[in-house]
Amino acid sequence: MKIGILTGGGDCPGLNPVIRAVVRTAVSLNDEVLGIRNGWKGLVDNEMGPLDATAVSGILHRGGTILGTSRTNPYKNESALAKAKANFKKLDALIAVGGEDTLGVAAKLFKDGLKVVGVPKTIDNDLSGTDFTFGFDTAVNIAMEAIDRLHSTAESHRRIMVVEVMGRHAGWIALHSGIAGGADLILIPEVPIKMSEVTDAIKRRTGRGKNFSIIVVAEGAKFEGGEITLEKKLDDFGHVRLGGIGELLGKKIEELTGFETRVTVLGHIQRGGSATAFDRMLGTRFGEKAVRLVHEGRFGQMVALKANEMVSIPIETAVGKLKTVDQAFYQMARTFFG
Ligand code: F6P
């Protein structure tokens, strides 16, 4: 069998472990693997080449993706879609590794009759049907370490430190890193920011003799008026470039509390570098399972982690509704604010 593999959307620690696992499993089953460069763009432009065990040797610990990635959406343009479908004929099946956008394209191709299997990837952990996506654990650990480090400098200077982390629609990174790092307040896209809650948390701390605070805010968090963006230009999937909420929040905190405030934007540091053991393991299990699904002819499915078991669910279900933070979980986190 000829199996293609591509990685699309924002890169993510754990992509190389997936690619390695797909190739190693496929080779053990006497399949050929074709690596498609730069996500869906490579399928449109026919940029693909063989991947064997040697090609994936030594990549397990490496960040990024050896295949490259893009945010190309072949459904935006009829001739691109026709080219992608024509090139697909060179494959018996395709494994698409990506988040809601890349897998959204995979779901459409499957509907159009093509043999696609999905692997969930995003540091944001916002895909439904899987307990975790790989990359999330790494991002959380990076953000937690940053919060740990900011504690000592915040305390020395008696400052408020605002840490802006990634999370476009969902506050999973903010919540997990904030709870693990002992943040004094965590602000997420799912719950509009109320400045009274921010200042109350800071006041509660000063009441206990603590004259510094750490506030974690997800990039997608918003005041009533809507999300804060760096630029309005849309990508192929209609997303704006987020950013700026940390700065805005920092200014408001300084005005309202008189505390000197500093803002740290972690940005792509959360996505770069090698994956944690958890993400390497998850990526490896996902990659192996994806090849098994291809062999079982279970197309249109995405591999998923449920209660530590490898299962599969329809790709359409995974991308149909994003997995956001529920109120009960956020309420639990509130116990530790201020
Ligand atoms: O989708 C994951 C994500 O990390 C989002 O949280 C973020 O908004 C986006 O990627 C930024 O990606 P880029 O700068 O690569 O477009």
Side-chain angles (χ1 to χ4, degrees):
M1 221 187 296
K2 256 193 189 141
I3 304 175
I5 176 169
L6 62 80
T7 56
D11 72 344
C12 178
L15 281 167
N16 284 329
V18 175
I19 296 166
R20 172 180 176 271
V22 164
V23 172
R24 293 287 295 266
T25 309
V27 166
S28 77
L29 296 169
N30 297 317
D31 295 324
E32 269 177 65
V33 181
L34 284 175
I36 297 161
R37 293 212 58 84
N38 305 327
W40 295 117
K41 186 177 182 305
L43 192 63
V44 174
D45 297 341
N46 191 25
E47 281 187 67
M48 45 179 109
L51 279 182
D52 59 14
T54 311
V56 297
S57 169
I59 67 167
L60 185 61
H61 63 285
R62 276 171 57 190
T65 159
I66 59 161
L67 290 174
T69 186
S70 72
R71 292 195 188 274
T72 298
N73 178 1
Y75 278 90
K76 275 212 75 173
N77 172 319
E78 264 179 43
S79 85
L81 183 60
K83 282 187 201 159
K85 286 185 174 173
N87 290 327
F88 203 115
K89 294 201 175 100
K90 295 172 188 148
L91 310 167
D92 295 307
L94 172 69
I95 296 175
V97 189
E100 53 157 335
D101 298 329
T102 304
L103 294 182
V105 171
K108 283 187 187 159
L109 288 175
F110 173 67
K111 268 200 175 157
D112 290 350
L114 303 183
K115 294 179 173 173
V116 191
V117 160
V119 175
K121 165 244 65 155
T122 165
I123 65 164
D124 291 359
N125 197 37
D126 58 1
L127 280 170
S128 297
T130 183
D131 290 346
F132 291 106
T133 49
F134 66 85
F136 172 65
D137 184 67
T138 309
V140 167
N141 276 287
I142 291 167
M144 182 193 72
E145 200 198 319
I147 295 165
D148 285 350
R149 287 177 182 278
L150 288 169
H151 261 96
S152 62
T153 173
E155 186 166 14
S156 306
H157 289 266
R158 299 166 302 286
R159 280 175 175 158
I160 309 294
M161 290 290 183
V162 173
V163 193
E164 183 183 308
V165 299
M166 279 189 172
R168 179 177 285 276
H169 308 290
W172 294 112
I173 297 177
L175 211 54
H176 281 236
S177 65
I179 293 173
D184 304 302
L185 184 67
I186 303 165
L187 300 166
I188 60 175
E190 293 84 342
V191 182
I193 303 172
K194 275 203 202 97
M195 279 316 289
S196 57
E197 188 175 11
V198 178
T199 50
D200 284 354
I202 294 168
K203 269 190 215 139
R204 275 200 302 280
R205 278 182 61 77
T206 41
R208 286 191 285 114
K210 297 279 184 187
N211 48 15
F212 71 95
S213 291
I214 310 282
I215 297 176
V216 177
V217 60
E219 62 177 351
K222 34 196 161 320
F223 296 101
E224 304 289 56
E227 63 199 1
I228 313 297
T229 59
L230 282 178
E231 51 183 62
K232 295 281 174 205
K233 214 177 103 213
L234 301 182
D235 70 12
D236 257 17
F237 290 93
H239 301 310
V240 289
R241 203 169 142 215
L242 293 178
I245 184 66
E247 277 299 334
L248 192 62
L249 186 67
K251 280 206 183 77
K252 284 184 192 265
I253 290 173
E254 215 163 51
E255 271 164 31
L256 292 170
T257 68
F259 267 105
E260 209 182 351
T261 305
R262 293 287 188 270
V263 179
T264 303
V265 180
L266 290 184
H268 295 80
I269 287 174
Q270 295 158 97
R271 274 194 356 212
S274 55
T276 57
F278 181 89
D279 282 337
R280 293 183 200 188
M281 183 72 193
L282 187 57
T284 299
R285 291 178 78 191
F286 277 166
E288 193 266 354
K289 176 78 175 175
V291 177
R292 303 277 170 207
L293 290 183
V294 167
H295 273 257
E296 288 160 17
R298 296 177 51 209
F299 300 110
Q301 294 280 305
M302 180 191 89
V303 298
L305 181 76
K306 273 274 161 201
N308 207 27
E309 291 293 320
M310 274 297 120
V311 297
S312 74
I313 59 158
I315 302 175
E316 220 179 352
T317 310
V319 296
K321 187 176 178 291
L322 283 177
K323 183 180 71 183
T324 50
V325 174
D326 59 70
Q327 290 293 333
F329 193 11
Y330 191 60
Q331 204 47 43
M332 181 282 281
R334 278 202 166 103
T335 311
F336 305 98
F337 292 175

